[in-house]
Amino acid sequence: MAGTVPPAQPPPGPPPRPLFWRWRPNPLRRRTDTVRAWLGLTVLLAVLAVAPVAAALVGDAAHRHYRDVARHQQQTRHLTDAILVHDAPRHPEPGSDEEKKTRYPVEVRVVTREGRTRTTRAEVHPGLTADSTVRIWIDTAGEATDAPLTGKEVRSRAAGWALLAAIGVALAGAAVHAVSGLVLHRINLARWDAAWVETAPRWTTPT
């Protein structure tokens, strides 16, 4: 239709650019290119500065938490003898590696610190017969439980949380950079459309 401005077509994909091209003097460099360059550098420096601090703070908080958990477990759990009430299943082949790894939950009889006898379920090696004695950890109620956290486990869990904190900061920085890049890209497209509306009548001939 005569007088209709054809839609703007975005320029073809740019060729490979040298490092730091956004800072180099260039008549085609847009203001948004410079903004994006400085924003990317700012985000990178912020991540490098914040990630170690976040890892240290979160790791220290996690270490104190799990240290208190370990101390509480040591106070409320103890290792004691347990007597099997029934025979344990004998599924793996005797002497096999599978037998060494397999455990079966069976009913056992224990004596609590208060001297009360009660039954609970504990995981034991296969093939044990009734009245066999095994060593298990129990809590104040006489229920079978895991061993208290060791110092190595406390440090490992704290290190895991510290690593997650650092990764979280890095992901947050990457998200900020990606979103800002998308916004600047849309600004570029809008400016391209506006410039094309102004320029197109001089490049097209009405028919």
Side-chain angles (χ1 to χ4, degrees), residues 71-101:
R71 184 182 298 112
H72 180 265
Q73 290 177 344
Q74 291 169 358
Q75 295 173 349
T76 58
R77 301 178 183 184
H78 72 281
L79 193 62
T80 187
D81 291 332
I83 300 175
L84 272 67
V85 178
H86 307 291
D87 294 346
R90 186 189 294 273
H91 180 264
E93 181 180 352
S96 65
D97 292 337
E98 190 67 23
E99 183 184 29
K100 298 177 182 179
K101 301 176 183 178

Side-chain angles (χ1 to χ4, degrees), residues 97-130:
D97 292 337
E98 190 67 23
E99 183 184 29
K100 298 177 182 179
K101 301 176 183 178
T102 303
R103 298 291 185 276
Y104 287 111
V106 297
E107 191 172 341
V108 296
R109 187 169 56 252
V110 297
V111 178
T112 65
R113 284 179 174 176
E114 292 76 19
R116 294 183 291 106
T117 300
R118 61 156 302 163
T119 58
T120 183
R121 295 187 70 81
E123 293 187 349
V124 302
H125 291 282
L128 293 179
T129 59

Side-chain angles (χ1 to χ4, degrees), residues 58-76:
V58 173
D60 180 67
H63 186 273
R64 287 186 281 105
H65 167 73
Y66 287 114
R67 184 186 58 195
D68 293 341
V69 171
R71 184 182 298 112
H72 180 265
Q73 290 177 344
Q74 291 169 358
Q75 295 173 349
T76 58

Side-chain angles (χ1 to χ4, degrees), residues 1 7 11 20 26 28 33 51 57 75-76 101-102 104 106-107 111 119 139-140 149 164 182 201:
M1 180 181 298
F20 304 124
N26 190 320
L28 298 180
D33 295 331
L57 293 176
Q75 295 173 349
T76 58
K101 301 176 183 178
T102 303
Y104 287 111
V106 297
E107 191 172 341
V111 178
T119 58
D139 57 21
T140 54
L149 293 175
L164 288 177
L182 179 60

